[in-house]
mmCIF file of all heavy atoms in Angstrom:
data_model
loop_
_atom_site.group_PDB
_atom_site.id
_atom_site.type_symbol
_atom_site.label_atom_id
_atom_site.label_comp_id
_atom_site.label_asym_id
_atom_site.label_seq_id
_atom_site.Cartn_x
_atom_site.Cartn_y
_atom_site.Cartn_z
ATOM 1 N N ASP A 24 91.294 31.024 5.089
ATOM 2 C CA ASP A 24 91.937 29.932 4.352
ATOM 3 C C ASP A 24 91.063 28.670 4.324
ATOM 4 O O ASP A 24 91.565 27.566 4.377
ATOM 5 C CB ASP A 24 93.308 29.608 4.949
ATOM 6 C CG ASP A 24 94.174 28.800 3.991
ATOM 7 O OD1 ASP A 24 94.004 28.938 2.766
ATOM 8 O OD2 ASP A 24 95.034 28.034 4.481
ATOM 9 N N CYS A 25 89.760 28.856 4.219
ATOM 10 C CA CYS A 25 88.861 27.693 4.201
ATOM 11 C C CYS A 25 88.871 26.996 2.855
ATOM 12 O O CYS A 25 88.379 25.872 2.732
ATOM 13 C CB CYS A 25 87.444 28.115 4.568
ATOM 14 S SG CYS A 25 86.638 29.156 3.329
ATOM 15 N N LYS A 26 89.382 27.663 1.820
ATOM 16 C CA LYS A 26 89.489 27.126 0.462
ATOM 17 C C LYS A 26 88.152 26.999 -0.261
ATOM 18 O O LYS A 26 88.089 26.407 -1.329
ATOM 19 C CB LYS A 26 90.197 25.771 0.453
ATOM 20 C CG LYS A 26 91.532 25.739 1.176
ATOM 21 C CD LYS A 26 92.622 26.418 0.411
ATOM 22 C CE LYS A 26 93.979 26.169 1.074
ATOM 23 N NZ LYS A 26 94.980 27.137 0.708
ATOM 24 N N ALA A 27 87.076 27.526 0.312
ATOM 25 C CA ALA A 27 85.778 27.452 -0.369
ATOM 26 C C ALA A 27 85.847 28.144 -1.734
ATOM 27 O O ALA A 27 85.238 27.686 -2.704
ATOM 28 C CB ALA A 27 84.691 28.074 0.496
ATOM 29 N N CYS A 28 86.599 29.242 -1.809
ATOM 30 C CA CYS A 28 86.728 29.964 -3.083
ATOM 31 C C CYS A 28 87.402 29.103 -4.140
ATOM 32 O O CYS A 28 86.974 29.065 -5.296
ATOM 33 C CB CYS A 28 87.494 31.263 -2.872
ATOM 34 S SG CYS A 28 89.120 31.074 -2.094
ATOM 35 N N GLU A 29 88.450 28.405 -3.734
ATOM 36 C CA GLU A 29 89.174 27.551 -4.677
ATOM 37 C C GLU A 29 88.287 26.416 -5.165
ATOM 38 O O GLU A 29 88.264 26.097 -6.357
ATOM 39 C CB GLU A 29 90.439 26.986 -4.024
ATOM 40 C CG GLU A 29 91.473 28.033 -3.699
ATOM 41 C CD GLU A 29 92.711 27.438 -3.041
ATOM 42 O OE1 GLU A 29 92.918 26.214 -3.104
ATOM 43 O OE2 GLU A 29 93.474 28.216 -2.440
ATOM 44 N N VAL A 30 87.556 25.806 -4.234
ATOM 45 C CA VAL A 30 86.674 24.686 -4.595
ATOM 46 C C VAL A 30 85.566 25.165 -5.526
ATOM 47 O O VAL A 30 85.277 24.531 -6.546
ATOM 48 C CB VAL A 30 86.089 24.028 -3.327
ATOM 49 C CG1 VAL A 30 85.031 23.004 -3.688
ATOM 50 C CG2 VAL A 30 87.198 23.403 -2.489
ATOM 51 N N ALA A 31 84.957 26.301 -5.192
ATOM 52 C CA ALA A 31 83.871 26.826 -6.024
ATOM 53 C C ALA A 31 84.355 27.151 -7.425
ATOM 54 O O ALA A 31 83.675 26.848 -8.414
ATOM 55 C CB ALA A 31 83.276 28.076 -5.368
ATOM 56 N N CYS A 32 85.535 27.736 -7.499
ATOM 57 C CA CYS A 32 86.089 28.106 -8.805
ATOM 58 C C CYS A 32 86.396 26.868 -9.636
ATOM 59 O O CYS A 32 86.039 26.789 -10.813
ATOM 60 C CB CYS A 32 87.346 28.954 -8.609
ATOM 61 S SG CYS A 32 88.133 29.444 -10.145
ATOM 62 N N LYS A 33 87.053 25.894 -9.013
ATOM 63 C CA LYS A 33 87.412 24.674 -9.757
ATOM 64 C C LYS A 33 86.158 23.948 -10.241
ATOM 65 O O LYS A 33 86.130 23.421 -11.351
ATOM 66 C CB LYS A 33 88.274 23.760 -8.890
ATOM 67 C CG LYS A 33 89.702 24.271 -8.768
ATOM 68 C CD LYS A 33 90.666 23.169 -8.370
ATOM 69 C CE LYS A 33 92.091 23.687 -8.477
ATOM 70 N NZ LYS A 33 93.003 22.781 -9.113
ATOM 71 N N ALA A 34 85.120 23.920 -9.399
ATOM 72 C CA ALA A 34 83.886 23.240 -9.795
ATOM 73 C C ALA A 34 83.164 24.008 -10.897
ATOM 74 O O ALA A 34 82.697 23.417 -11.875
ATOM 75 C CB ALA A 34 82.979 23.082 -8.574
ATOM 76 N N MET A 35 83.109 25.319 -10.745
ATOM 77 C CA MET A 35 82.408 26.157 -11.727
ATOM 78 C C MET A 35 83.046 26.057 -13.101
ATOM 79 O O MET A 35 82.365 25.988 -14.113
ATOM 80 C CB MET A 35 82.424 27.611 -11.236
ATOM 81 C CG MET A 35 81.918 28.636 -12.208
ATOM 82 S SD MET A 35 80.143 28.646 -12.261
ATOM 83 C CE MET A 35 79.860 29.580 -13.763
ATOM 84 N N TRP A 36 84.363 26.047 -13.127
ATOM 85 C CA TRP A 36 85.086 26.133 -14.392
ATOM 86 C C TRP A 36 85.730 24.821 -14.817
ATOM 87 O O TRP A 36 86.485 24.798 -15.781
ATOM 88 C CB TRP A 36 86.124 27.255 -14.318
ATOM 89 C CG TRP A 36 85.431 28.572 -14.221
ATOM 90 C CD1 TRP A 36 85.180 29.302 -13.091
ATOM 91 C CD2 TRP A 36 84.798 29.277 -15.284
ATOM 92 N NE1 TRP A 36 84.454 30.415 -13.394
ATOM 93 C CE2 TRP A 36 84.208 30.433 -14.734
ATOM 94 C CE3 TRP A 36 84.686 29.046 -16.652
ATOM 95 C CZ2 TRP A 36 83.508 31.350 -15.513
ATOM 96 C CZ3 TRP A 36 83.990 29.974 -17.424
ATOM 97 C CH2 TRP A 36 83.414 31.108 -16.847
ATOM 98 N N GLU A 37 85.450 23.766 -14.080
ATOM 99 C CA GLU A 37 86.001 22.444 -14.399
ATOM 100 C C GLU A 37 87.513 22.509 -14.601
ATOM 101 O O GLU A 37 88.058 22.016 -15.589
ATOM 102 C CB GLU A 37 85.304 21.844 -15.619
ATOM 103 C CG GLU A 37 83.818 21.651 -15.394
ATOM 104 C CD GLU A 37 83.074 21.114 -16.616
ATOM 105 O OE1 GLU A 37 83.679 20.998 -17.697
ATOM 106 O OE2 GLU A 37 81.879 20.815 -16.463
ATOM 107 N N VAL A 38 88.177 23.156 -13.647
ATOM 108 C CA VAL A 38 89.632 23.270 -13.695
ATOM 109 C C VAL A 38 90.229 21.899 -13.394
ATOM 110 O O VAL A 38 89.877 21.270 -12.391
ATOM 111 C CB VAL A 38 90.129 24.312 -12.665
ATOM 112 C CG1 VAL A 38 91.647 24.368 -12.635
ATOM 113 C CG2 VAL A 38 89.541 25.684 -12.978
ATOM 114 N N PRO A 39 91.103 21.391 -14.262
ATOM 115 C CA PRO A 39 91.687 20.064 -14.031
ATOM 116 C C PRO A 39 92.457 19.999 -12.709
ATOM 117 O O PRO A 39 92.973 21.000 -12.223
ATOM 118 C CB PRO A 39 92.646 19.892 -15.219
ATOM 119 C CG PRO A 39 92.208 20.883 -16.239
ATOM 120 C CD PRO A 39 91.595 22.024 -15.478
ATOM 121 N N ASP A 40 92.526 18.789 -12.150
ATOM 122 C CA ASP A 40 93.308 18.589 -10.937
ATOM 123 C C ASP A 40 94.762 18.948 -11.200
ATOM 124 O O ASP A 40 95.244 18.887 -12.321
ATOM 125 C CB ASP A 40 93.220 17.122 -10.478
ATOM 126 C CG ASP A 40 91.841 16.801 -9.913
ATOM 127 O OD1 ASP A 40 91.130 17.739 -9.508
ATOM 128 O OD2 ASP A 40 91.496 15.609 -9.886
ATOM 129 N N GLY A 41 95.463 19.282 -10.133
ATOM 130 C CA GLY A 41 96.877 19.618 -10.265
ATOM 131 C C GLY A 41 97.169 20.926 -9.566
ATOM 132 O O GLY A 41 96.394 21.876 -9.679
ATOM 133 N N LYS A 42 98.255 20.953 -8.834
ATOM 134 C CA LYS A 42 98.615 22.124 -8.040
ATOM 135 C C LYS A 42 98.813 23.378 -8.883
ATOM 136 O O LYS A 42 98.556 24.491 -8.428
ATOM 137 C CB LYS A 42 99.902 21.805 -7.266
ATOM 138 C CG LYS A 42 100.199 22.739 -6.148
ATOM 139 C CD LYS A 42 101.380 22.244 -5.340
ATOM 140 C CE LYS A 42 101.607 23.189 -4.168
ATOM 141 N NZ LYS A 42 102.675 22.741 -3.302
ATOM 142 N N LEU A 43 99.266 23.218 -10.110
ATOM 143 C CA LEU A 43 99.535 24.380 -10.959
ATOM 144 C C LEU A 43 98.310 24.848 -11.727
ATOM 145 O O LEU A 43 98.358 25.850 -12.424
ATOM 146 C CB LEU A 43 100.669 24.054 -11.928
ATOM 147 C CG LEU A 43 102.018 23.701 -11.288
ATOM 148 C CD1 LEU A 43 103.037 23.350 -12.355
ATOM 149 C CD2 LEU A 43 102.519 24.849 -10.418
ATOM 150 N N ASN A 44 97.226 24.080 -11.636
ATOM 151 C CA ASN A 44 96.009 24.435 -12.360
ATOM 152 C C ASN A 44 95.055 25.180 -11.427
ATOM 153 O O ASN A 44 94.438 24.573 -10.554
ATOM 154 C CB ASN A 44 95.323 23.180 -12.899
ATOM 155 C CG ASN A 44 96.190 22.424 -13.874
ATOM 156 O OD1 ASN A 44 97.061 23.009 -14.507
ATOM 157 N ND2 ASN A 44 95.959 21.137 -13.990
ATOM 158 N N TYR A 45 94.949 26.463 -11.594
ATOM 159 C CA TYR A 45 94.025 27.242 -10.765
ATOM 160 C C TYR A 45 93.702 28.565 -11.450
ATOM 161 O O TYR A 45 94.488 29.096 -12.215
ATOM 162 C CB TYR A 45 94.612 27.506 -9.379
ATOM 163 C CG TYR A 45 95.878 28.329 -9.416
ATOM 164 C CD1 TYR A 45 95.827 29.712 -9.409
ATOM 165 C CD2 TYR A 45 97.123 27.709 -9.473
ATOM 166 C CE1 TYR A 45 96.979 30.462 -9.464
ATOM 167 C CE2 TYR A 45 98.283 28.459 -9.519
ATOM 168 C CZ TYR A 45 98.207 29.834 -9.518
ATOM 169 O OH TYR A 45 99.351 30.579 -9.585
ATOM 170 N N ARG A 46 92.508 29.065 -11.145
ATOM 171 C CA ARG A 46 92.107 30.407 -11.555
ATOM 172 C C ARG A 46 92.203 31.352 -10.369
ATOM 173 O O ARG A 46 92.308 32.551 -10.543
ATOM 174 C CB ARG A 46 90.669 30.391 -12.082
ATOM 175 C CG ARG A 46 90.538 29.754 -13.444
ATOM 176 C CD ARG A 46 89.070 29.577 -13.793
ATOM 177 N NE ARG A 46 88.901 29.503 -15.217
ATOM 178 C CZ ARG A 46 88.052 30.258 -15.910
ATOM 179 N NH1 ARG A 46 87.263 31.101 -15.305
ATOM 180 N NH2 ARG A 46 87.978 30.135 -17.210
ATOM 181 N N THR A 47 92.113 30.775 -9.201
ATOM 182 C CA THR A 47 92.301 31.543 -7.972
ATOM 183 C C THR A 47 92.851 30.599 -6.923
ATOM 184 O O THR A 47 92.650 29.374 -7.004
ATOM 185 C CB THR A 47 90.993 32.189 -7.481
ATOM 186 O OG1 THR A 47 91.286 33.082 -6.395
ATOM 187 C CG2 THR A 47 89.980 31.154 -7.032
ATOM 188 N N LYS A 48 93.547 31.152 -5.965
ATOM 189 C CA LYS A 48 94.035 30.349 -4.848
ATOM 190 C C LYS A 48 94.340 31.284 -3.681
ATOM 191 O O LYS A 48 94.330 32.503 -3.819
ATOM 192 C CB LYS A 48 95.258 29.526 -5.221
ATOM 193 C CG LYS A 48 96.510 30.311 -5.496
ATOM 194 C CD LYS A 48 97.647 29.341 -5.827
ATOM 195 C CE LYS A 48 98.923 30.097 -6.141
ATOM 196 N NZ LYS A 48 100.041 29.211 -6.462
ATOM 197 N N VAL A 49 94.612 30.666 -2.542
ATOM 198 C CA VAL A 49 94.961 31.422 -1.349
ATOM 199 C C VAL A 49 96.386 31.061 -0.962
ATOM 200 O O VAL A 49 96.701 29.873 -0.765
ATOM 201 C CB VAL A 49 93.993 31.118 -0.183
ATOM 202 C CG1 VAL A 49 94.409 31.880 1.074
ATOM 203 C CG2 VAL A 49 92.559 31.469 -0.571
ATOM 204 N N LEU A 50 97.236 32.076 -0.880
ATOM 205 C CA LEU A 50 98.618 31.858 -0.472
ATOM 206 C C LEU A 50 98.704 31.894 1.050
ATOM 207 O O LEU A 50 98.057 32.720 1.691
ATOM 208 C CB LEU A 50 99.528 32.948 -1.046
ATOM 209 C CG LEU A 50 99.577 33.095 -2.562
ATOM 210 C CD1 LEU A 50 100.475 34.272 -2.938
ATOM 211 C CD2 LEU A 50 100.060 31.808 -3.213
ATOM 212 N N ASP A 51 99.484 31.012 1.613
ATOM 213 C CA ASP A 51 99.771 31.025 3.049
ATOM 214 C C ASP A 51 101.131 31.685 3.232
ATOM 215 O O ASP A 51 102.134 31.174 2.745
ATOM 216 C CB ASP A 51 99.809 29.601 3.617
ATOM 217 C CG ASP A 51 98.471 28.896 3.479
ATOM 218 O OD1 ASP A 51 97.464 29.576 3.209
ATOM 219 O OD2 ASP A 51 98.435 27.671 3.639
ATOM 220 N N ILE A 52 101.145 32.806 3.925
ATOM 221 C CA ILE A 52 102.388 33.564 4.102
ATOM 222 C C ILE A 52 102.764 33.552 5.575
ATOM 223 O O ILE A 52 102.007 34.015 6.429
ATOM 224 C CB ILE A 52 102.211 35.017 3.604
ATOM 225 C CG1 ILE A 52 101.836 35.005 2.122
ATOM 226 C CG2 ILE A 52 103.472 35.831 3.859
ATOM 227 C CD1 ILE A 52 101.426 36.355 1.587
ATOM 228 N N ASP A 53 103.936 33.014 5.842
ATOM 229 C CA ASP A 53 104.463 32.958 7.204
ATOM 230 C C ASP A 53 105.225 34.253 7.449
ATOM 231 O O ASP A 53 106.193 34.546 6.757
ATOM 232 C CB ASP A 53 105.384 31.739 7.325
ATOM 233 C CG ASP A 53 105.748 31.447 8.764
ATOM 234 O OD1 ASP A 53 105.174 32.065 9.667
ATOM 235 O OD2 ASP A 53 106.614 30.576 8.974
ATOM 236 N N LYS A 54 104.775 35.041 8.422
ATOM 237 C CA LYS A 54 105.355 36.365 8.613
ATOM 238 C C LYS A 54 105.748 36.568 10.076
ATOM 239 O O LYS A 54 105.032 36.136 10.982
ATOM 240 C CB LYS A 54 104.333 37.418 8.192
ATOM 241 C CG LYS A 54 104.846 38.827 8.249
ATOM 242 C CD LYS A 54 103.824 39.796 7.715
ATOM 243 C CE LYS A 54 104.422 41.196 7.767
ATOM 244 N NZ LYS A 54 103.476 42.208 7.403
ATOM 245 N N VAL A 55 106.860 37.261 10.297
ATOM 246 C CA VAL A 55 107.272 37.620 11.655
ATOM 247 C C VAL A 55 107.044 39.116 11.816
ATOM 248 O O VAL A 55 107.525 39.925 11.025
ATOM 249 C CB VAL A 55 108.747 37.272 11.913
ATOM 250 C CG1 VAL A 55 109.166 37.747 13.304
ATOM 251 C CG2 VAL A 55 108.995 35.786 11.738
ATOM 252 N N GLU A 56 106.248 39.477 12.833
ATOM 253 C CA GLU A 56 105.919 40.876 13.059
ATOM 254 C C GLU A 56 106.065 41.155 14.552
ATOM 255 O O GLU A 56 105.421 40.494 15.377
ATOM 256 C CB GLU A 56 104.478 41.114 12.599
ATOM 257 C CG GLU A 56 104.097 42.563 12.472
ATOM 258 C CD GLU A 56 102.715 42.702 11.851
ATOM 259 O OE1 GLU A 56 102.633 42.730 10.615
ATOM 260 O OE2 GLU A 56 101.734 42.763 12.601
ATOM 261 N N ASN A 57 106.900 42.101 14.920
ATOM 262 C CA ASN A 57 107.167 42.412 16.333
ATOM 263 C C ASN A 57 107.566 41.160 17.105
ATOM 264 O O ASN A 57 107.040 40.877 18.171
ATOM 265 C CB ASN A 57 105.949 43.079 16.988
ATOM 266 C CG ASN A 57 105.615 44.399 16.346
ATOM 267 O OD1 ASN A 57 106.506 45.118 15.907
ATOM 268 N ND2 ASN A 57 104.335 44.708 16.261
ATOM 269 N N SER A 58 108.448 40.387 16.530
ATOM 270 C CA SER A 58 108.975 39.139 17.108
ATOM 271 C C SER A 58 107.910 38.045 17.241
ATOM 272 O O SER A 58 108.144 37.042 17.898
ATOM 273 C CB SER A 58 109.606 39.391 18.485
ATOM 274 O OG SER A 58 110.638 40.332 18.375
ATOM 275 N N GLU A 59 106.769 38.256 16.685
ATOM 276 C CA GLU A 59 105.723 37.232 16.723
ATOM 277 C C GLU A 59 105.525 36.653 15.335
ATOM 278 O O GLU A 59 105.408 37.393 14.368
ATOM 279 C CB GLU A 59 104.391 37.814 17.201
ATOM 280 C CG GLU A 59 104.275 37.933 18.687
ATOM 281 C CD GLU A 59 102.860 38.338 19.096
ATOM 282 O OE1 GLU A 59 101.893 37.781 18.551
ATOM 283 O OE2 GLU A 59 102.773 39.220 19.955
ATOM 284 N N ARG A 60 105.474 35.361 15.283
ATOM 285 C CA ARG A 60 105.261 34.686 14.014
ATOM 286 C C ARG A 60 103.763 34.491 13.807
ATOM 287 O O ARG A 60 103.057 34.064 14.710
ATOM 288 C CB ARG A 60 105.970 33.334 14.039
ATOM 289 C CG ARG A 60 105.811 32.580 12.772
ATOM 290 C CD ARG A 60 106.677 31.350 12.780
ATOM 291 N NE ARG A 60 107.439 31.373 11.565
ATOM 292 C CZ ARG A 60 108.681 30.964 11.431
ATOM 293 N NH1 ARG A 60 109.320 30.481 12.456
ATOM 294 N NH2 ARG A 60 109.294 31.020 10.282
ATOM 295 N N LYS A 61 103.308 34.846 12.601
ATOM 296 C CA LYS A 61 101.892 34.619 12.327
ATOM 297 C C LYS A 61 101.696 34.232 10.864
ATOM 298 O O LYS A 61 102.510 34.549 10.006
ATOM 299 C CB LYS A 61 101.048 35.825 12.693
ATOM 300 C CG LYS A 61 101.288 37.069 11.899
ATOM 301 C CD LYS A 61 100.385 38.167 12.457
ATOM 302 C CE LYS A 61 100.262 39.326 11.519
ATOM 303 N NZ LYS A 61 99.407 40.376 12.005
ATOM 304 N N MET A 62 100.610 33.547 10.630
ATOM 305 C CA MET A 62 100.278 33.094 9.281
ATOM 306 C C MET A 62 99.239 34.053 8.699
ATOM 307 O O MET A 62 98.245 34.374 9.344
ATOM 308 C CB MET A 62 99.714 31.676 9.339
ATOM 309 C CG MET A 62 99.444 31.071 7.980
ATOM 310 S SD MET A 62 100.938 30.800 7.001
ATOM 311 C CE MET A 62 101.647 29.396 7.823
ATOM 312 N N ILE A 63 99.516 34.505 7.502
ATOM 313 C CA ILE A 63 98.607 35.416 6.810
ATOM 314 C C ILE A 63 98.114 34.723 5.550
ATOM 315 O O ILE A 63 98.881 34.069 4.842
ATOM 316 C CB ILE A 63 99.334 36.724 6.454
ATOM 317 C CG1 ILE A 63 99.744 37.433 7.736
ATOM 318 C CG2 ILE A 63 98.467 37.623 5.595
ATOM 319 C CD1 ILE A 63 100.671 38.600 7.512
ATOM 320 N N PHE A 64 96.832 34.863 5.270
ATOM 321 C CA PHE A 64 96.251 34.236 4.087
ATOM 322 C C PHE A 64 95.952 35.312 3.054
ATOM 323 O O PHE A 64 95.347 36.334 3.379
ATOM 324 C CB PHE A 64 94.979 33.478 4.470
ATOM 325 C CG PHE A 64 95.197 32.523 5.603
ATOM 326 C CD1 PHE A 64 94.537 32.685 6.804
ATOM 327 C CD2 PHE A 64 96.106 31.487 5.470
ATOM 328 C CE1 PHE A 64 94.755 31.816 7.855
ATOM 329 C CE2 PHE A 64 96.335 30.618 6.520
ATOM 330 C CZ PHE A 64 95.652 30.778 7.716
ATOM 331 N N MET A 65 96.375 35.043 1.845
ATOM 332 C CA MET A 65 96.258 36.055 0.810
ATOM 333 C C MET A 65 95.613 35.470 -0.446
ATOM 334 O O MET A 65 96.265 34.775 -1.216
ATOM 335 C CB MET A 65 97.642 36.589 0.482
ATOM 336 C CG MET A 65 97.618 37.734 -0.449
ATOM 337 S SD MET A 65 99.164 38.591 -0.244
ATOM 338 C CE MET A 65 99.035 39.707 -1.570
ATOM 339 N N PRO A 66 94.341 35.762 -0.666
ATOM 340 C CA PRO A 66 93.690 35.311 -1.909
ATOM 341 C C PRO A 66 94.288 36.024 -3.120
ATOM 342 O O PRO A 66 94.521 37.234 -3.078
ATOM 343 C CB PRO A 66 92.224 35.709 -1.713
ATOM 344 C CG PRO A 66 92.073 35.931 -0.230
ATOM 345 C CD PRO A 66 93.415 36.428 0.230
ATOM 346 N N ILE A 67 94.523 35.275 -4.180
ATOM 347 C CA ILE A 67 95.017 35.868 -5.422
ATOM 348 C C ILE A 67 94.200 35.344 -6.594
ATOM 349 O O ILE A 67 93.648 34.238 -6.543
ATOM 350 C CB ILE A 67 96.522 35.619 -5.648
ATOM 351 C CG1 ILE A 67 96.814 34.120 -5.730
ATOM 352 C CG2 ILE A 67 97.361 36.278 -4.576
ATOM 353 C CD1 ILE A 67 98.204 33.825 -6.262
#
Side-chain angles (χ1 to χ4, degrees):
D24 197 29
C25 68
K26 308 286 189 201
C28 55
E29 294 180 16
V30 172
C32 179
K33 285 201 171 225
M35 172 78 195
W36 293 98
E37 299 177 353
V38 176
D40 288 339
K42 196 173 183 177
L43 299 178
N44 299 334
Y45 63 87
R46 287 171 157 232
T47 188
K48 68 179 179 180
V49 178
L50 301 177
D51 298 345
I52 300 171
D53 192 9
K54 184 175 181 186
V55 176
E56 193 173 273
N57 297 326
S58 302
E59 278 188 44
R60 180 172 232 144
K61 65 182 196 179
M62 185 65 74
I63 296 170
F64 308 117
M65 187 159 171
I67 61 167

